[in-house]
Amino acid sequence: MPTFELSSASPTEVAADALIIPFFQGREPGPGVDAVQRALGADLMSTLAEHGVQGKVGESFAIPTFGKIEPKTVVLVGLGTRKEAGTQAIRKAAMKVARSVTKFHTVASTVHQVGDSPQDSAHAFAEGVALGAYRFDRYKERPIDSASQEKPKLAQILALTNGRRSASQRGLTRGQVYAEAANWARDLVNTPAIDATPSYLADEARTMARRSGLTCKIWTKAELQRGGFGGILGVGAGSVNEPRLIELTYEGGGDRAPIGITGKGVTFDSGGLSIKDAAGMEWMKADMGGAAATLATMRAVAELQPRVDLIAAIPSAENLPGGSAIRPGDVLRHRGGKTSEVLNTDAEGRLILADALAYLAEKKPRVIIDSATLTGAAMVALGNDVYAVIGSDQQLIDALLAAGREEGEQGWELPLWTDYRRHIESSVADVKNMGIRWGGAITAALFLKEFVGDVPWAHLDVAGTAFAEQSGDLWPRGATGSPARTLIRYIEGESGRGRAPRTSAPKAKASAPRKASSRKSSAPASGSKRTSARRG
Ligand code: BES
Ligand code: ZN
Ligand code: ZN
């Protein structure tokens, strides 16, 4: 990860190996271009025209400077039309261009000078560069940049200022925190399951918590047994790598109940006895993407220090078909007492999340958000760019959708169609873990809903977005960190918001002793969840 600094040097005199300057579609020069043109004695916009460079977002063209200015190379990068050139264009352009400048040590840029808000522009720029420069080469004997065939050395980014220093600095720092957190999530997801076991995830969480000042409790298998976490234990039963529950708390001095977050941490999903075929298993080391994004969120929040309290309970297990694995037809008893009939051991994410959601609900949080690579159906519905948002509280859903939009990490709402509850009705248990083929993302969400009680809740199904199967325009092959940046943005937006016009469960109750609630007890309190006025 390169460092980011503001610099008041001029584009032609800055001590950098490369200078990235923007232009707009129609070959309109952006900040810095005129100064460079004058110093080089060249008409760069005509050069672009001669080479057929349009200026689409992220389209770039590199020019050697022959010693006429301090940077040895100028990289012109397109931001689309001047009208469109806001934070989204800046982030995308920075992501794309960063991949081509990792061979340089120091890179200066004026790209963040575009846009209406210096803070948001600097945020998008730093975030884009840091996300774009990411590579996962820990398992390579000799890390080599595939484009340049050189060892990547990008170490320093100089954002050339145009006056508004404090806003730009704030933006740079925040963008960096967001991207560093997302890149950490990507490392965790990209790490092969032979190494990234539930205990590895727990160790990573503990180390992060120690560094960040978060409280961390790791639930071992024996503790999970004592606590009645039958879903996590059931899914983990077929693997020698024992399951864990990672609990992290952040106390930011909020004046309302905490926000509860969780994420699916299946370190490898073979399907269990309902085994997947080879193609279906190829990416299943990434089945802890939701857990990784949740951990990354806690890390970023600890750095950004928003005025809000947060609790994460992240279940992790490996879904393998060992001799002690759960079987189709088995019934599991979840935290809090509800039971589920396992008809397909490959629908395991909901089984571990059920325990975590029930546990979080005991803490009486103001909302619960879970993130999970839960269903192929969400991927079929929305593809690889957009994740599904399904929940019981419209305000929460809208806030998450808005946060995702701001981060260029979009979700799209799917309905929590309660009539489909009939598809997961079980004849032997309270609920079964598989519906019919159609609407699989919705029936999975309806399963989860059984465990959140009356807490406003939203579920992000990131099966399509957590990793890229092929290297593309923005993302290299592998993990993306989705939806970490959405979650961080949402939580920052909740900072200090609202004075708690709560109708029930005042703050003090948040730390009331947990007791295993009878599974029928939440029935009278539930009901009109979509309208319950939990938020200010
Ligand atoms: N981890 C998978 C979902 C998945 C599929 C994530 C593809 C990423 C890419 C999940 O555990 C699963 O296998 N779900 C099944 C559920 C079915 C058996 C009800 C699915 O979606 O097919
Ligand atoms: Zn599965
Ligand atoms: Zn899975």
Short mmCIF file of all heavy atoms in Angstrom, two decimals, residues 264 269 287 348 373, ligand 3:
data_model
loop_
_atom_site.label_atom_id
_atom_site.label_comp_id
_atom_site.label_asym_id
_atom_site.label_seq_id
_atom_site.Cartn_x
_atom_site.Cartn_y
_atom_site.Cartn_z
N LYS A 264 -20.94 -14.05 6.68
CA LYS A 264 -20.72 -15.48 6.48
C LYS A 264 -19.23 -15.79 6.34
O LYS A 264 -18.56 -15.27 5.45
CB LYS A 264 -21.47 -15.94 5.21
CG LYS A 264 -21.19 -17.38 4.78
CD LYS A 264 -22.02 -17.76 3.56
CE LYS A 264 -21.65 -19.13 3.00
NZ LYS A 264 -22.43 -19.49 1.80
N ASP A 269 -16.30 -23.97 1.03
CA ASP A 269 -17.62 -24.59 0.87
C ASP A 269 -17.57 -25.66 -0.20
O ASP A 269 -17.70 -25.38 -1.39
CB ASP A 269 -18.66 -23.51 0.51
CG ASP A 269 -20.06 -24.09 0.39
OD1 ASP A 269 -20.26 -25.26 0.80
OD2 ASP A 269 -20.95 -23.37 -0.10
N ASP A 287 -15.82 -18.09 0.12
CA ASP A 287 -17.14 -18.13 0.77
C ASP A 287 -17.12 -17.51 2.17
O ASP A 287 -18.11 -17.59 2.90
CB ASP A 287 -17.63 -19.59 0.83
CG ASP A 287 -19.15 -19.69 0.72
OD1 ASP A 287 -19.78 -18.71 0.26
OD2 ASP A 287 -19.70 -20.74 1.11
N GLU A 348 -25.40 -23.94 3.60
CA GLU A 348 -24.80 -23.91 4.93
C GLU A 348 -24.63 -22.51 5.51
O GLU A 348 -24.59 -22.34 6.72
CB GLU A 348 -23.44 -24.62 4.90
CG GLU A 348 -22.26 -23.78 4.42
CD GLU A 348 -22.37 -23.27 2.99
OE1 GLU A 348 -23.17 -23.84 2.22
OE2 GLU A 348 -21.68 -22.30 2.64
N THR A 373 -21.88 -14.38 0.99
CA THR A 373 -21.90 -15.01 -0.34
C THR A 373 -22.89 -16.16 -0.24
O THR A 373 -22.52 -17.31 -0.17
CB THR A 373 -20.49 -15.54 -0.69
OG1 THR A 373 -20.02 -16.31 0.44
CG2 THR A 373 -19.51 -14.43 -0.97
ZN ZN B 3 -21.57 -21.28 0.90
#
